[in-house]
């Protein structure tokens, strides 16, 4: 398996182009199933998860063509003229939980779907009970057999009022997509408000869907008989942008994040400001650098517009070398501190109690051989390596490749001493 080697201590300076958001692109790919016409997506990031979703859609009968290079130039055309299958098999779903996002569109388009239950992952059990309960309210008959969700809607889906007891991003996305072709009106109460959910809603409207309340926690969708072709560009990845903002902060450098939007990162800008880090809008994106040292501050993850759980690990790496202490509380997932033992091997001083971690800043981390466990934990170890004295080797970087496009190239172009080491054949 490939690894990434970093020699720490270099201040990052330069510009980084922010790619299209993974967590927007995945539901956007799935929504091609809602029409027999062509969906054209621009700014599609080149990531392992996008390849996995493309493979799944191919098995379902979607014709996919891809042109352009990575970055803003990549354009993907998807056409589900007819469906070859309505089954999302275990071997693909287990690679990527977001495969669950084909459940709602398949039910809406074909009145049936058989999707493997996605297993848990390193950060938690990741149940999909809320997706299933909501689809049942839309009239789907769902049974769980042999590890599969078997769903049928012989008379088609029918609009209903859906109230989510907790905010679920892909749950909101699955129901929103299904409701676009349901008979009548669907209201989603306590809907997720993440920019990726908003981006999906905008694409669905471009395809002819009727959705009101976009960006709020109450969505009203009026079903249509069919959706049509559309062109849409994937929103920039706020999590990638937040990650690179912390790379600038941890190396005491200065980075301009091209394409990043302050409106998607207000809560992150606020906690970085408390820590002494400035994040200012420029004509092309956001400029990030230390203003007043690097100071410990408390962080609690919340659904959008709060501090995203997907930046918790990265923030913890930053706080490891801050002046003073920081209490970091994870409220979304039950096991999202897998980066803690690896950071401690680099000299971090962290104590975990239940869902909170007390981080006492240390003057310097030391490089070490560390192991990635999940996507965001991996990148937090890379951030720590950028600041650490000596060499850090990050193993199992397939986790990284799922969510970060050309990470080592983007960082090296800004002065990081970082390289990908190919595994011996
Ligand atoms: C999405 O996952 C993202 N993935 C995650 O990003 C992100 O961390 C998460 O939202 C929270 O923002 C994609 O968009 C592809 P949830 P999702 O449903 O939708 C519980 C990354 O690193 N829950 O919002 O699966 C759940 O256990 C990934 O890019 C149920 O109990 O997350 C969690 O505690 C990691 N039952 C909470 O809700 C359900 O049916 C929020 O989960 C669904 C969720």
């Amino acid at each position: 398996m490939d690894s990434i080697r970093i020699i720490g201590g270099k201040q990052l300076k330069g510009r980084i182009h922010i790619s299209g958001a993974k967590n927007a692109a995945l539901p956007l790919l799935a929504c091609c199933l809602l029409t027999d016409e062509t969906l054209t997506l621009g700014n599609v990031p080149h990531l392992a998860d996008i390849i996995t979703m493309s493979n799944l859609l191919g098995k379902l009968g979607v014709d996919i063509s891809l042109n352009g290079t990575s970055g803003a130039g990549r354009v993907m055309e998807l056409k589900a003229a007819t469906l070859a299958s309505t089954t999302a098999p275990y071997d693909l779903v287990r690679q990527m939980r977001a495969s669950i996002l084909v459940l709602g569109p398949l039910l809406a388009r074909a009145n049936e779907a058989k999707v493997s239950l996605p297993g848990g992952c390193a950060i938690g059990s990741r149940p999909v009970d809320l997706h299933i309960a909501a689809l049942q309210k839309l009239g789907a008959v769902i049974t769980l057999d042999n590890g599969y969700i078997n769903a049928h809607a012989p008379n088609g889906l029918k609009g209903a009022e859906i109230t989510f007891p907790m905010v679920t991003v892909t749950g909101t996305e699955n129901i929103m997509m299904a409701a676009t072709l349901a008979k009548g009106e669907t209201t989603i109460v306590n809907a997720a408000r993440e920019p990726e959910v908003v981006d999906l809603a905008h694409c669905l409207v471009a395809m002819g869907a009727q959705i009101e309340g976009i960006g709020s926690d109450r969505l009203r969708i009026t079903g249509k008989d069919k959706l049509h072709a559309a062109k849409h560009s994937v929103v920039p990845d706020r999590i990638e942008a937040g990650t690179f903002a912390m790379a600038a902060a941890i190396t005491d450098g200065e980075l301009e994040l091209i394409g990043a939007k302050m409106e998607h990162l207000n809560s992150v800008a606020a906690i970085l400001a408390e820590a002494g880090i400035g994040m200012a809008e420029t004509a092309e994106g956001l400029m990030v650098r230390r203003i007043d040292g690097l100071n410990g501050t408390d962080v609690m993850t919340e659904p959008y517009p709060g501090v995203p759980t997907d930046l918790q690990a990265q923030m913890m790496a930053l706080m490891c070398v801050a002046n003073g202490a920081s209490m970091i509380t994870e409220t979304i997932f039950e096991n999202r501190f897998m980066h803690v033992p690896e950071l401690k091997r680099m000299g971090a001083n962290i104590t975990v109690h239940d869902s909170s971690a007390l981080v006492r800043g240390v003057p310097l981390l030391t490089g070490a051989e560390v192991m990635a466990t999940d996507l965001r934990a991996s990148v937090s170890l890379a951030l720590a390596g950028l600041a650490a004295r000596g060499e850090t080797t990050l193993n199992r970087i397939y986790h990284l490749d799922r969510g970060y496009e050309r990470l080592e190239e983007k960082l090296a172009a800004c002065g990081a001493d970082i390289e990908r080491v190919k595994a011996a054949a």
Side-chain angles (χ1 to χ4, degrees):
M1 280 183 270
D2 292 1
S3 60
I4 279 184
R5 185 162 57 210
I6 301 169
I7 306 292
K10 307 284 190 300
Q11 288 183 320
L12 299 190
K13 289 194 186 308
R15 292 154 48 94
I16 295 184
H17 170 82
I18 300 302
S19 301
K22 166 179 83 81
N23 290 350
L26 292 171
L28 286 168
L29 287 179
C31 83
C32 79
L33 294 165
L34 293 167
T35 177
D36 57 5
E37 299 181 20
T38 301
L39 174 62
T40 303
L41 295 176
N43 199 29
V44 178
H46 182 50
L47 299 170
D49 275 6
I50 299 300
I51 295 168
T52 304
M53 180 62 89
S54 302
N55 292 340
L56 171 56
L57 292 173
K59 280 189 186 290
L60 300 177
V62 178
D63 289 330
I64 300 177
S65 67
L66 182 62
N67 58 50
T69 57
S70 60
R74 261 160 62 91
V75 176
M76 190 179 266
E77 289 187 352
L78 304 104
K79 185 167 185 177
T82 56
L83 294 181
S85 164
T86 55
T87 296
Y90 172 70
D91 64 321
L92 279 175
V93 176
R94 72 177 173 77
Q95 288 177 47
M96 183 187 64
R97 303 188 61 271
S99 308
I100 192 71
L101 284 165
V102 303
L103 177 60
L106 282 175
L107 256 180
R109 172 77 183 273
N111 296 339
E112 64 173 35
K114 182 178 177 187
V115 177
S116 169
L117 273 164
C121 70
I123 65 177
S125 60
R126 311 293 295 278
V128 290
D129 56 315
L130 301 182
H131 298 238
I132 291 169
L135 289 169
Q136 288 171 323
K137 289 206 74 172
L138 293 180
V141 176
I142 297 181
T143 58
L144 303 182
D145 315 303
N146 310 106
Y148 276 82
I149 301 165
N150 287 300
H152 293 86
N155 307 316
L157 296 175
K158 193 170 176 311
E161 175 160 307
I162 310 283
T163 298
F164 281 119
M166 67 172 68
V167 172
T168 163
V169 171
T170 50
T172 300
E173 291 166 343
N174 240 335
I175 298 312
M176 182 165 66
M177 288 190 281
T180 60
L181 296 179
K183 294 181 191 65
E185 193 168 281
T186 297
T187 302
I188 304 177
V189 180
N190 199 23
R193 298 164 54 194
E194 273 66 6
E196 296 75 28
V197 178
V198 170
D199 203 41
L200 173 64
H202 287 153
C203 180
L204 290 167
V205 167
M207 294 167 70
Q210 184 176 336
I211 304 175
E212 292 154 85
I214 296 175
S216 79
D217 61 0
R218 188 181 186 91
L219 297 172
R220 191 163 59 246
I221 302 106
T222 304
K224 301 291 183 186
D225 292 338
K226 75 188 300 290
L227 299 186
H228 53 67
K231 293 184 189 309
H232 181 81
S233 183
V234 180
V235 69
D237 194 325
R238 64 193 168 105
I239 304 302
E240 184 193 24
T243 301
F244 287 128
M246 293 179 199
I250 205 169
T251 61
D252 193 8
E254 181 174 32
L255 289 175
E256 184 175 17
L257 310 176
I258 308 305
K261 297 175 180 296
M262 179 64 89
E263 66 187 287
H264 294 161
L265 287 161
N266 281 320
S267 60
V268 177
I271 54 159
L272 288 179
E274 286 172 19
I277 309 302
M279 184 186 270
E281 288 185 278
T282 67
E284 294 185 88
L286 299 173
M287 183 68 80
V288 184
R289 62 186 173 82
R290 287 187 195 183
I291 302 287
D292 177 21
L294 178 58
N295 312 300
T297 187
D298 294 344
V299 178
M300 179 177 284
T301 64
E302 292 175 302
Y304 192 86
V307 175
T309 175
D310 292 348
L311 283 174
Q312 178 258 108
Q314 300 91 313
M315 189 67 192
M316 187 181 292
L318 181 60
M319 292 292 97
C320 286
V321 291
N323 302 314
S326 164
M327 178 69 82
I328 296 182
T329 303
E330 172 59 57
T331 69
I332 307 293
F333 290 111
E334 67 266 29
N335 187 37
R336 202 165 198 176
F337 284 150
M338 304 283 281
H339 40 288
V340 169
E342 296 301 295
L343 287 169
K344 291 173 78 167
R345 296 183 57 248
M346 299 177 73
N349 182 344
I350 306 171
T351 308
V352 173
H353 286 293
D354 298 330
S355 62
S356 286
L358 177 62
V359 183
R360 293 180 175 88
V362 296
L364 197 58
L365 296 174
T366 54
E369 180 137 13
V370 290
M371 187 168 67
T373 51
D374 64 86
L375 169 55
R376 308 304 174 179
S378 320
V379 85
S380 83
L381 298 173
L383 294 182
L386 290 172
R389 184 182 61 235
E391 181 173 307
T392 295
T393 298
L394 180 56
N395 294 307
R396 297 192 177 182
I397 58 169
Y398 56 85
H399 291 293
L400 264 182
D401 294 336
R402 295 189 50 181
Y404 289 92
E405 188 177 36
R406 301 177 295 113
L407 179 82
E408 70 277 7
E409 289 175 31
K410 291 185 175 183
L411 290 172
C414 295
D417 185 343
I418 182 172
E419 62 173 345
R420 179 179 292 253
V421 179
K422 288 282 182 203

